[in-house]
Amino acid sequence: MVGGPVTFRAKLVFEDVPGKASRTESGESMDGGADQETGWRHEVVKGGEWDGWFLYGSDPFEDHAGPFYYRLRDDGTPLCAMRTEPKHMNGGGFMHGGAIMTFADYCLFVIAREALADSRAVTATFNGEFVGGAPPGALVECTGEVVRNARSMVFVRGLMTTGGEPVMSFSAVLKKTKPRT
């Protein structure tokens, strides 16, 4: 028999990961404030193609399916990105629809992170239109916006592209939740 429910609790932490992440040079946490309880750990990548981008940790499936990255653009809006690898491809040699949807789900939470700052959330609905493909080695990017931040739900839409061409247009509703006791 399986035991009782397992609760995952973590603090929002910006860590030094050799060859991967760092705090600000002054040693302060990257959000400029106190640690917050959340299910995510944000790491700043050091070196390589993703130097200066953020990498979420603490989600075993996304860690396996990714890696996925984000950064804040000059206007403060997030830009999510990933580089396709052989593991992301379908039998036809293009990015698998499940990999596209997994990346889009990751992007939802990055796009809505300010709206979700004081809560946890789950994806309640997801609507997506596959409008193009992404070949092996492609840089896939995603932008979006919060359409509405309501009391218990956040409405989000996004557009995923590669080489300036659309891959997926999507919208979703995130349901704000409270930690289980």
Side-chain angles (χ1 to χ4, degrees):
M1 175 162 183
V2 177
V6 176
T7 303
F8 293 96
R9 298 185 79 175
K11 290 190 177 217
L12 178 59
V13 176
F14 292 86
E15 299 188 339
D16 289 327
V17 176
K20 205 162 138 186
S22 179
R23 291 178 172 258
T24 63
E25 289 189 24
S26 66
E28 298 172 357
S29 65
M30 295 298 296
D31 65 356
D35 288 342
Q36 302 170 21
E37 287 206 8
T38 177
W40 304 105
R41 181 181 71 245
H42 300 258
E43 300 171 349
V44 180
V45 178
K46 293 293 234 179
E49 176 182 16
W50 302 103
D51 187 46
W53 288 72
F54 291 95
L55 175 67
Y56 271 166
S58 304
D59 186 303
F61 183 75
E62 287 178 355
D63 291 345
H64 173 74
F68 305 138
Y69 304 91
Y70 79 94
R71 68 176 173 84
L72 299 180
R73 297 185 291 186
D74 291 339
D75 66 0
T77 59
L79 173 65
C80 300
M82 67 171 291
R83 175 98 33 212
T84 61
E85 300 176 12
K87 71 179 182 177
H88 300 125
M89 300 298 114
N90 62 22
F94 288 90
M95 191 171 175
H96 190 282
I100 292 170
M101 291 181 71
T102 299
F103 180 52
D105 189 67
Y106 164 86
C107 296
L108 290 172
F109 286 84
V110 172
I111 293 165
R113 66 190 203 101
E114 288 185 15
L116 299 173
D118 297 325
S119 63
R120 298 169 187 258
V122 296
T123 306
T125 66
F126 182 96
N127 300 294
E129 292 75 43
F130 298 96
V131 294
L139 176 65
V140 179
E141 298 179 314
C142 185
T143 59
E145 67 180 335
V146 171
V147 176
R148 180 164 187 231
N149 180 11
R151 181 181 57 80
S152 64
M153 295 183 287
V154 180
F155 298 80
V156 183
R157 67 178 161 209
L159 179 64
M160 190 181 304
T161 62
T162 187
E165 295 296 318
V167 174
M168 174 181 254
S169 173
F170 61 92
S171 62
V173 177
L174 304 179
K175 172 69 176 148
K176 295 177 185 177
T177 62
K178 295 180 181 176
R180 293 183 181 183
T181 57

